[in-house]
Amino acid sequence: MGESIKTDVVIVGAGPAALFAVFELGLLDIKAHLVDVLPRAGGQCAELYPEKPIYDIPGHPMITGDGIVEKLLAQIEPFHPTFHFEQMVTELEVLSTPEAPAFRVKTDAERTFECRSVIVAAGGGSFQPKKPPIEGIEAYEQKSVFYAVRKMEDFRDKNVVVVGGGDSALDWTLNLQPIAKRLTLVHRRDEFRAAPHSVKAMRDLVSAGKMELRIGQILALSGADGRLAAAQIKSAKGEVSELAVERLVPFFGLTMKLGPVAEWGLNLHENLIPVDTARFETNVPGIFAIGDINHYPGKLKLILCGFHEGALAAQKVYHYVYPEKKLVFQYTTSSTSLQKKLGVA
Amino acid sequence: MIKITFIDSFGEKRTVEAEEGSTVMETAIRNSIPEITAECGGACACATCHVYVDEAFLPLTGGPSPQEEDMLDFAYGTQANSRLSCQIKVTPELDGLVIRTPQRQG
């Protein structure tokens, strides 16, 4: 484990509410590190609806999911936030008193932070791979069934079956085919969401007899002691056939799970974190919750509400980071000191 | 008045009124129909409002759009009559529509 990173605030999540919180914190000279399980910023905007138009962002009659993320990233650029992607905050430990809180935050990528405040902006939770609804699949997980490929060597000279029709499925089909004993791609229809060039590469391999493409859905698995032996596949016409399998790699997209947030000693209300509506602070002083993950009377899960919540939370965070200073409220339109921070004065 | 009947995976029937211009998913959520999750809220960005459209109504509802097909890849137990209910608009012709819900959403 490396040295722990000392910073003012750790933000759990990197969706729109988290990004705008960086701006509001930055205006108050508060530095933030952001941790997100996804490989890029944007949260649900980037993962669920990058190209969908959003009509209720103030000042933007229409903007896409990707569009708002791009603009938020440009807006917070002057504050140089540090992003830690593809990892999940697993532990949150309170180090000191409620009056002068301090926290130790750990991720599953062995990164440790020490900070004065934590802002939980985790939306609907962390994105995790969806499991196909095959009875008893859990028994084979991490031995024969993998939802992500971490070590290619585990697949060498094995009967590998990849399931899905998107980029992940096609990319891993192409990457694993050269080392697998035999590779079969199973997809429910003969059309693919993946990039056309990878679909073509896959079809070329099929034509050359180097891999197999099966159109259908997996019905059942068989094996023993966590080691897969075979999968039953039902074709679109309803015919059932059997396929020898040693490694199964299903790509069924992502779903949101609350995950470790539930274990941090925060009060929860139906998987949401109750906060006060003046500071958006949780029951643990120094830990805030903003955006879709919080709950209070009248809560609306709108991006614009997340922005407001981040702005108010930042005011209270300031008192924890600079307990001896008095906060003077200023406008970006008129304050030279704010404009200097933004690099425009 | 447009009526939709939802039949769950246990065979239980629920007939509810639907508003023209809304979607089948919205109708289900408003009426607390079980077995429809609608995680993304109707953006055609997940596959948790997956339903089976009664064969008799397929010509009226039509089939899934290419984007919807992409999302159906993430649904479980898809069939030829699979649709995402957020993508079916309620029209007067659909009065009497029969929808079956799957045992499990994504």
Side-chain angles (χ1 to χ4, degrees), chain B residues 14-34:
Chain B
R14 295 173 181 84
T15 301
V16 299
E17 283 172 11
E19 201 178 306
E20 184 177 351
S22 69
T23 67
V24 171
M25 180 278 280
E26 287 166 340
T27 307
I29 296 297
R30 262 182 227 147
N31 290 284
S32 307
I33 297 295

PDB file of all heavy atoms in Angstrom, chain B residues 14-34:
ATOM      1  N   ARG B  14     -53.878  -7.903 -13.694  1.00  0.00           N
ATOM      2  CA  ARG B  14     -54.270  -6.598 -13.163  1.00  0.00           C
ATOM      3  C   ARG B  14     -54.641  -5.708 -14.340  1.00  0.00           C
ATOM      4  O   ARG B  14     -53.803  -5.472 -15.204  1.00  0.00           O
ATOM      5  CB  ARG B  14     -53.109  -5.966 -12.387  1.00  0.00           C
ATOM      6  CG  ARG B  14     -52.718  -6.734 -11.137  1.00  0.00           C
ATOM      7  CD  ARG B  14     -51.462  -6.150 -10.516  1.00  0.00           C
ATOM      8  NE  ARG B  14     -51.061  -6.900  -9.331  1.00  0.00           N
ATOM      9  CZ  ARG B  14     -50.322  -8.010  -9.355  1.00  0.00           C
ATOM     10  NH1 ARG B  14     -49.897  -8.503 -10.499  1.00  0.00           N
ATOM     11  NH2 ARG B  14     -49.998  -8.628  -8.238  1.00  0.00           N
ATOM     12  N   THR B  15     -55.855  -5.215 -14.358  1.00  0.00           N
ATOM     13  CA  THR B  15     -56.269  -4.333 -15.448  1.00  0.00           C
ATOM     14  C   THR B  15     -56.327  -2.901 -14.930  1.00  0.00           C
ATOM     15  O   THR B  15     -56.930  -2.641 -13.883  1.00  0.00           O
ATOM     16  CB  THR B  15     -57.638  -4.778 -16.009  1.00  0.00           C
ATOM     17  OG1 THR B  15     -57.497  -6.122 -16.464  1.00  0.00           O
ATOM     18  CG2 THR B  15     -58.056  -3.897 -17.174  1.00  0.00           C
ATOM     19  N   VAL B  16     -55.638  -2.012 -15.623  1.00  0.00           N
ATOM     20  CA  VAL B  16     -55.574  -0.621 -15.169  1.00  0.00           C
ATOM     21  C   VAL B  16     -55.904   0.317 -16.326  1.00  0.00           C
ATOM     22  O   VAL B  16     -55.868  -0.071 -17.493  1.00  0.00           O
ATOM     23  CB  VAL B  16     -54.157  -0.284 -14.609  1.00  0.00           C
ATOM     24  CG1 VAL B  16     -53.839  -1.172 -13.427  1.00  0.00           C
ATOM     25  CG2 VAL B  16     -53.087  -0.413 -15.685  1.00  0.00           C
ATOM     26  N   GLU B  17     -56.224   1.562 -15.961  1.00  0.00           N
ATOM     27  CA  GLU B  17     -56.498   2.560 -16.992  1.00  0.00           C
ATOM     28  C   GLU B  17     -55.203   3.257 -17.378  1.00  0.00           C
ATOM     29  O   GLU B  17     -54.369   3.546 -16.523  1.00  0.00           O
ATOM     30  CB  GLU B  17     -57.497   3.585 -16.461  1.00  0.00           C
ATOM     31  CG  GLU B  17     -58.905   3.027 -16.467  1.00  0.00           C
ATOM     32  CD  GLU B  17     -59.891   3.930 -15.774  1.00  0.00           C
ATOM     33  OE1 GLU B  17     -59.535   5.098 -15.463  1.00  0.00           O
ATOM     34  OE2 GLU B  17     -61.023   3.476 -15.541  1.00  0.00           O
ATOM     35  N   ALA B  18     -55.075   3.519 -18.670  1.00  0.00           N
ATOM     36  CA  ALA B  18     -53.858   4.168 -19.159  1.00  0.00           C
ATOM     37  C   ALA B  18     -54.215   5.477 -19.847  1.00  0.00           C
ATOM     38  O   ALA B  18     -55.276   5.603 -20.464  1.00  0.00           O
ATOM     39  CB  ALA B  18     -53.137   3.253 -20.139  1.00  0.00           C
ATOM     40  N   GLU B  19     -53.313   6.427 -19.714  1.00  0.00           N
ATOM     41  CA  GLU B  19     -53.562   7.743 -20.295  1.00  0.00           C
ATOM     42  C   GLU B  19     -52.934   7.788 -21.689  1.00  0.00           C
ATOM     43  O   GLU B  19     -51.782   7.381 -21.855  1.00  0.00           O
ATOM     44  CB  GLU B  19     -52.884   8.775 -19.396  1.00  0.00           C
ATOM     45  CG  GLU B  19     -53.410  10.167 -19.531  1.00  0.00           C
ATOM     46  CD  GLU B  19     -52.680  11.092 -18.553  1.00  0.00           C
ATOM     47  OE1 GLU B  19     -52.665  10.764 -17.340  1.00  0.00           O
ATOM     48  OE2 GLU B  19     -52.114  12.089 -19.013  1.00  0.00           O
ATOM     49  N   GLU B  20     -53.684   8.300 -22.647  1.00  0.00           N
ATOM     50  CA  GLU B  20     -53.149   8.410 -24.000  1.00  0.00           C
ATOM     51  C   GLU B  20     -51.902   9.304 -23.980  1.00  0.00           C
ATOM     52  O   GLU B  20     -51.884  10.343 -23.316  1.00  0.00           O
ATOM     53  CB  GLU B  20     -54.207   9.012 -24.930  1.00  0.00           C
ATOM     54  CG  GLU B  20     -53.735   9.060 -26.372  1.00  0.00           C
ATOM     55  CD  GLU B  20     -54.799   9.579 -27.342  1.00  0.00           C
ATOM     56  OE1 GLU B  20     -55.963   9.749 -26.925  1.00  0.00           O
ATOM     57  OE2 GLU B  20     -54.434   9.809 -28.503  1.00  0.00           O
ATOM     58  N   GLY B  21     -50.866   8.880 -24.685  1.00  0.00           N
ATOM     59  CA  GLY B  21     -49.644   9.689 -24.746  1.00  0.00           C
ATOM     60  C   GLY B  21     -48.611   9.293 -23.707  1.00  0.00           C
ATOM     61  O   GLY B  21     -47.436   9.616 -23.830  1.00  0.00           O
ATOM     62  N   SER B  22     -49.053   8.592 -22.643  1.00  0.00           N
ATOM     63  CA  SER B  22     -48.067   8.103 -21.671  1.00  0.00           C
ATOM     64  C   SER B  22     -47.467   6.815 -22.242  1.00  0.00           C
ATOM     65  O   SER B  22     -47.777   6.415 -23.355  1.00  0.00           O
ATOM     66  CB  SER B  22     -48.723   7.859 -20.312  1.00  0.00           C
ATOM     67  OG  SER B  22     -49.603   6.759 -20.406  1.00  0.00           O
ATOM     68  N   THR B  23     -46.623   6.156 -21.485  1.00  0.00           N
ATOM     69  CA  THR B  23     -46.062   4.895 -21.975  1.00  0.00           C
ATOM     70  C   THR B  23     -46.614   3.752 -21.126  1.00  0.00           C
ATOM     71  O   THR B  23     -47.158   3.968 -20.044  1.00  0.00           O
ATOM     72  CB  THR B  23     -44.531   4.878 -21.888  1.00  0.00           C
ATOM     73  OG1 THR B  23     -44.150   4.894 -20.507  1.00  0.00           O
ATOM     74  CG2 THR B  23     -43.902   6.064 -22.616  1.00  0.00           C
ATOM     75  N   VAL B  24     -46.430   2.543 -21.642  1.00  0.00           N
ATOM     76  CA  VAL B  24     -46.879   1.360 -20.903  1.00  0.00           C
ATOM     77  C   VAL B  24     -46.101   1.262 -19.588  1.00  0.00           C
ATOM     78  O   VAL B  24     -46.654   0.933 -18.543  1.00  0.00           O
ATOM     79  CB  VAL B  24     -46.708   0.090 -21.771  1.00  0.00           C
ATOM     80  CG1 VAL B  24     -46.967  -1.173 -20.948  1.00  0.00           C
ATOM     81  CG2 VAL B  24     -47.665   0.136 -22.969  1.00  0.00           C
ATOM     82  N   MET B  25     -44.791   1.604 -19.626  1.00  0.00           N
ATOM     83  CA  MET B  25     -43.982   1.572 -18.400  1.00  0.00           C
ATOM     84  C   MET B  25     -44.543   2.547 -17.365  1.00  0.00           C
ATOM     85  O   MET B  25     -44.750   2.188 -16.202  1.00  0.00           O
ATOM     86  CB  MET B  25     -42.520   1.913 -18.732  1.00  0.00           C
ATOM     87  CG  MET B  25     -41.570   1.926 -17.555  1.00  0.00           C
ATOM     88  SD  MET B  25     -41.588   3.454 -16.576  1.00  0.00           S
ATOM     89  CE  MET B  25     -40.559   4.543 -17.573  1.00  0.00           C
ATOM     90  N   GLU B  26     -44.817   3.797 -17.796  1.00  0.00           N
ATOM     91  CA  GLU B  26     -45.350   4.800 -16.853  1.00  0.00           C
ATOM     92  C   GLU B  26     -46.667   4.332 -16.250  1.00  0.00           C
ATOM     93  O   GLU B  26     -46.924   4.498 -15.052  1.00  0.00           O
ATOM     94  CB  GLU B  26     -45.546   6.145 -17.570  1.00  0.00           C
ATOM     95  CG  GLU B  26     -44.240   6.852 -17.868  1.00  0.00           C
ATOM     96  CD  GLU B  26     -44.387   7.998 -18.875  1.00  0.00           C
ATOM     97  OE1 GLU B  26     -45.388   8.037 -19.634  1.00  0.00           O
ATOM     98  OE2 GLU B  26     -43.490   8.831 -18.918  1.00  0.00           O
ATOM     99  N   THR B  27     -47.504   3.723 -17.088  1.00  0.00           N
ATOM    100  CA  THR B  27     -48.785   3.202 -16.622  1.00  0.00           C
ATOM    101  C   THR B  27     -48.555   2.142 -15.547  1.00  0.00           C
ATOM    102  O   THR B  27     -49.236   2.123 -14.514  1.00  0.00           O
ATOM    103  CB  THR B  27     -49.568   2.599 -17.810  1.00  0.00           C
ATOM    104  OG1 THR B  27     -49.634   3.579 -18.838  1.00  0.00           O
ATOM    105  CG2 THR B  27     -50.965   2.184 -17.397  1.00  0.00           C
ATOM    106  N   ALA B  28     -47.564   1.276 -15.789  1.00  0.00           N
ATOM    107  CA  ALA B  28     -47.266   0.212 -14.834  1.00  0.00           C
ATOM    108  C   ALA B  28     -46.771   0.795 -13.508  1.00  0.00           C
ATOM    109  O   ALA B  28     -47.240   0.416 -12.431  1.00  0.00           O
ATOM    110  CB  ALA B  28     -46.222  -0.732 -15.418  1.00  0.00           C
ATOM    111  N   ILE B  29     -45.850   1.745 -13.581  1.00  0.00           N
ATOM    112  CA  ILE B  29     -45.268   2.322 -12.360  1.00  0.00           C
ATOM    113  C   ILE B  29     -46.344   3.059 -11.552  1.00  0.00           C
ATOM    114  O   ILE B  29     -46.454   2.896 -10.347  1.00  0.00           O
ATOM    115  CB  ILE B  29     -44.088   3.266 -12.707  1.00  0.00           C
ATOM    116  CG1 ILE B  29     -42.942   2.484 -13.364  1.00  0.00           C
ATOM    117  CG2 ILE B  29     -43.603   4.034 -11.484  1.00  0.00           C
ATOM    118  CD1 ILE B  29     -42.301   1.410 -12.498  1.00  0.00           C
ATOM    119  N   ARG B  30     -47.174   3.858 -12.255  1.00  0.00           N
ATOM    120  CA  ARG B  30     -48.235   4.597 -11.574  1.00  0.00           C
ATOM    121  C   ARG B  30     -49.199   3.674 -10.847  1.00  0.00           C
ATOM    122  O   ARG B  30     -49.804   4.037  -9.848  1.00  0.00           O
ATOM    123  CB  ARG B  30     -49.036   5.421 -12.595  1.00  0.00           C
ATOM    124  CG  ARG B  30     -48.586   6.857 -12.642  1.00  0.00           C
ATOM    125  CD  ARG B  30     -49.440   7.625 -13.638  1.00  0.00           C
ATOM    126  NE  ARG B  30     -48.571   8.414 -14.490  1.00  0.00           N
ATOM    127  CZ  ARG B  30     -48.794   8.688 -15.761  1.00  0.00           C
ATOM    128  NH1 ARG B  30     -49.865   8.228 -16.362  1.00  0.00           N
ATOM    129  NH2 ARG B  30     -47.953   9.417 -16.438  1.00  0.00           N
ATOM    130  N   ASN B  31     -49.350   2.480 -11.390  1.00  0.00           N
ATOM    131  CA  ASN B  31     -50.306   1.539 -10.803  1.00  0.00           C
ATOM    132  C   ASN B  31     -49.635   0.447  -9.975  1.00  0.00           C
ATOM    133  O   ASN B  31     -50.256  -0.557  -9.655  1.00  0.00           O
ATOM    134  CB  ASN B  31     -51.160   0.921 -11.911  1.00  0.00           C
ATOM    135  CG  ASN B  31     -52.121   1.950 -12.511  1.00  0.00           C
ATOM    136  OD1 ASN B  31     -53.131   2.288 -11.914  1.00  0.00           O
ATOM    137  ND2 ASN B  31     -51.762   2.490 -13.655  1.00  0.00           N
ATOM    138  N   SER B  32     -48.357   0.678  -9.632  1.00  0.00           N
ATOM    139  CA  SER B  32     -47.602  -0.272  -8.806  1.00  0.00           C
ATOM    140  C   SER B  32     -47.658  -1.707  -9.335  1.00  0.00           C
ATOM    141  O   SER B  32     -47.838  -2.653  -8.573  1.00  0.00           O
ATOM    142  CB  SER B  32     -48.102  -0.263  -7.356  1.00  0.00           C
ATOM    143  OG  SER B  32     -48.105   1.046  -6.867  1.00  0.00           O
ATOM    144  N   ILE B  33     -47.547  -1.850 -10.644  1.00  0.00           N
ATOM    145  CA  ILE B  33     -47.526  -3.196 -11.241  1.00  0.00           C
ATOM    146  C   ILE B  33     -46.187  -3.854 -10.870  1.00  0.00           C
ATOM    147  O   ILE B  33     -45.134  -3.244 -11.057  1.00  0.00           O
ATOM    148  CB  ILE B  33     -47.656  -3.094 -12.783  1.00  0.00           C
ATOM    149  CG1 ILE B  33     -49.001  -2.479 -13.169  1.00  0.00           C
ATOM    150  CG2 ILE B  33     -47.453  -4.453 -13.442  1.00  0.00           C
ATOM    151  CD1 ILE B  33     -50.227  -3.297 -12.817  1.00  0.00           C
ATOM    152  N   PRO B  34     -46.226  -5.074 -10.327  1.00  0.00           N
ATOM    153  CA  PRO B  34     -44.961  -5.720  -9.966  1.00  0.00           C
ATOM    154  C   PRO B  34     -44.182  -6.181 -11.199  1.00  0.00           C
ATOM    155  O   PRO B  34     -44.730  -6.206 -12.299  1.00  0.00           O
ATOM    156  CB  PRO B  34     -45.409  -6.920  -9.125  1.00  0.00           C
ATOM    157  CG  PRO B  34     -46.815  -7.191  -9.533  1.00  0.00           C
ATOM    158  CD  PRO B  34     -47.398  -5.890  -9.996  1.00  0.00           C
TER     159      PRO B  34
END
